[in-house]
Amino acid sequence: DAGVIQSPRHEVTEMGQEVTLRCKPISGHNSLFWYRQTMMRGLELLIYFNNNVPIDDSGMPEDRFSAKMPNASFSTLKIQPSEPRDSAVYFCASSLGSSTTFEVVAASREQYFGPGTRLTVT
Amino acid sequence: KNQVEQSPQSLIILEGKNCTLQCNYTVSPFSNLRWYKQDTGRGPVSLTIMTFSENTKSNGRYTATLDADTKQSSLHITASQLSDSASYICVVSSGYSSASKIIFGSGTRLSIRP
């Protein structure tokens, strides 16, 4: 298996532009997580899907951020409009999980992270 | 407030030496604790996971300990290798309900010198 695939690996955009990050989870995994990592704040969980349904989006910073999972093999994280403070590395992770309970899935099942997308907003 | 604090922030040791990284948490109720290794430019990779009832777990040259009473964990690396150079992140999961959270430490940056 190729692991979790993210695209693009690097994205540079101007403030105000729309940015779309993409993720393909490991085949057979039914839980997907979006994280953001910065030097100042470390890793932060943004949103979590189970069986394509958003379960916990309390980490999404504001309305400019939105995430979708139209099917089991694809998810997007969109920022519109982007701002310089959105500059970070965005990770997607997937895991096996059969429960909708966030903790059961996120805590007890190993998450496999993608290589990340480095976003720079100028 | 749920917090996870790691120390030191950074550490440099010579190849072959041992080292210990610390993680203190104030998370309640506690569910489990993970240590991740993150190589530069890559996503984190899970090293160990421990629940409340476990106080030690090994993964090769990595040994994690957990003291649930003092809310402390350590990651001990034996006979360090150049490939151990990475950031090590302590992650604590809280609770068993849909309102449970994952709290990340800020990580320890470990550099192994030849």
Side-chain angles (χ1 to χ4, degrees), chain A residues 35 37 58 102-103 107 109, chain B residues 31 34 38 49 95 100-101:
Chain A
Y35 292 90
Q37 187 175 39
S58 59
F102 173 81
E103 189 277 342
R109 306 278 185 164
Chain B
S31 176
R34 285 185 188 275
Q38 185 176 19
I49 178 171
S100 60
K101 297 294 181 185

Side-chain angles (χ1 to χ4, degrees), chain A residues 46-112:
Chain A
L46 300 178
I47 187 170
Y48 148 65
F49 293 86
N50 190 58
N51 294 322
N52 312 336
V53 176
I55 303 298
D56 184 353
D57 65 353
S58 59
M60 295 286 264
E62 49 197 273
D63 293 344
R64 298 183 298 106
F65 286 69
S66 62
K68 293 182 180 180
M69 192 164 185
N71 57 62
S73 59
F74 183 66
S75 177
T76 60
L77 177 67
K78 185 175 293 186
I79 308 172
Q80 166 63 21
S82 58
E83 296 182 2
R85 61 192 168 119
D86 301 331
S87 297
V89 180
Y90 290 81
F91 288 103
C92 175
S94 70
S95 71
L96 279 171
S98 58
S99 168
T100 58
T101 302
F102 173 81
E103 189 277 342
V104 170
V105 177
S108 60
R109 306 278 185 164
E110 180 169 353
Q111 295 183 30
Y112 295 84

Side-chain angles (χ1 to χ4, degrees), chain A residues 9 33 35 37 42-45 56 58-59 91 101-104 106-116 118, chain B residues 31-32 34 36 38 41-47 49 89 91 93-106:
Chain A
R9 291 296 309 275
F33 306 80
Y35 292 90
Q37 187 175 39
L43 263 170
E44 302 172 281
L45 176 64
D56 184 353
S58 59
F91 288 103
T101 302
F102 173 81
E103 189 277 342
V104 170
S108 60
R109 306 278 185 164
E110 180 169 353
Q111 295 183 30
Y112 295 84
F113 284 75
R118 181 173 294 278
Chain B
S31 176
N32 61 50
R34 285 185 188 275
Y36 281 94
Q38 185 176 19
R42 292 177 175 263
V45 175
S46 180
L47 293 175
I49 178 171
I89 303 170
V91 183
S93 295
S94 163
Y96 291 87
S97 71
S98 59
S100 60
K101 297 294 181 185
I102 291 180
I103 300 99
F104 291 83
S106 56

